[in-house]
Amino acid sequence: MREILIADDHPLFRDALRRAVMQVLPDAALREADSVASLVELAGAHPQAELLLLDLNMPGAHGFSALAHVRASFPALPVIVVSAREESALMRRAIGHGAAGFIPKSSDIATIGTALHAVLDGETWLPPGVATQHTALDPEEEAMAKRVAELTPQQYRVLAMVCNGLLNKQIAYELDVSEATVKAHMTAILRKLGAHSRTQAVLLAGRLTLEGRGVAPPPDEDEPG
C-alpha cells in the first residue's frame, strides 16, 4: 500500500488535503503531522513513505529551513510544498531547496492530482505558467540551507525556539532538559552555522525565511550563543 505523509498544523486544511489526496489516490495510507518535530518522528517511523506534502508555515518551521532539514534527514522522500503563497519566485526557491513540486492551496482536485502523479513518477512539478528553469538559489541562501541541514533534530528544534525569541531556560522547560544541555546544543549550532552568537545565528537562519529578510534578533544571554 502506498503511504503519503501530510504535514500541516491547520486541522481544517489538513482534512481538506486528506480528502483531496484520497480522491486522487484512493488506496493510499495517509499519515499526518502538525509540526516539524512530529513530522521528523513520523517520517522516521514510516521509511517506506513515497511522498510528503509539506506546509511551510507550522510550528518549528521558519521559511525553507524545515524543507532543508527534512530533505537532509530523509533524502529518498520526495517533498511537495503545499502553501497559500503563490509567488512564482517563491515556488522556484522551493525547488531550489530540494522540493519536487509546489501546490498552491487554492488548487482544485484535478491540479492536485496532476501534481501528485507527476512527482510520484519522478518528475518535478510546478503550476502551469511557472517555469522550472532558474531555480538556482542565491549562493548565501544555498550555503545556509546546507548548514541547517547538518543540524540534528534536537539542534534544529533549539534553533527554531531561539528564532522564536525563547531564552535558554524556556527552551530547557519546553524540551524537558537542563539549561546546560541547551547551552551545549547552542555551542554545536553556532559551530555548524558558522556564527559567533545567538543573534548572528538567528540572522543567518533568517536567510531561509520566505521573504528572505530574516527575523528579529533574540535576547542576549551570558553563554556562547
Side-chain angles (χ1 to χ4, degrees), residues 47-110:
Q48 69 277 18
E50 296 183 43
L51 183 65
L52 164 63
L53 302 178
L54 174 68
D55 182 28
L56 292 177
N57 291 306
M58 61 178 175
H62 288 274
F64 291 106
S65 64
L67 175 58
H69 181 60
V70 170
R71 288 292 298 136
S73 300
F74 308 97
L77 178 64
V79 179
I80 296 180
V81 169
V82 184
S83 176
R85 302 284 293 268
E86 301 191 15
E87 305 94 315
S88 297
L90 189 75
M91 296 180 189
R92 287 191 287 267
R93 282 177 70 199
I95 301 302
H97 279 291
F102 191 109
I103 301 176
K105 287 189 175 181
S106 62
S107 300
D108 57 25
I109 296 294

Side-chain angles (χ1 to χ4, degrees), residues 13-37:
F13 182 75
R14 203 165 61 243
D15 180 66
L17 187 56
R18 182 195 315 117
R19 292 172 184 271
V21 173
M22 289 305 297
Q23 288 190 47
V24 176
L25 302 169
D27 295 328
L30 304 185
R31 318 295 183 190
E32 302 176 22
D34 60 3
S35 68
V36 175

Side-chain angles (χ1 to χ4, degrees), residues 3 6 10 17 19-20 44 51 58 71 91 100 116 121 143 153 156 159 164 173 182 188 204 224:
E3 286 194 289
I6 297 176
H10 197 294
L17 187 56
R19 292 172 184 271
L51 183 65
M58 61 178 175
R71 288 292 298 136
M91 296 180 189
L116 293 181
D121 286 341
Y156 179 86
L159 177 61
N164 282 332
Y173 176 80
V182 175
L204 289 173

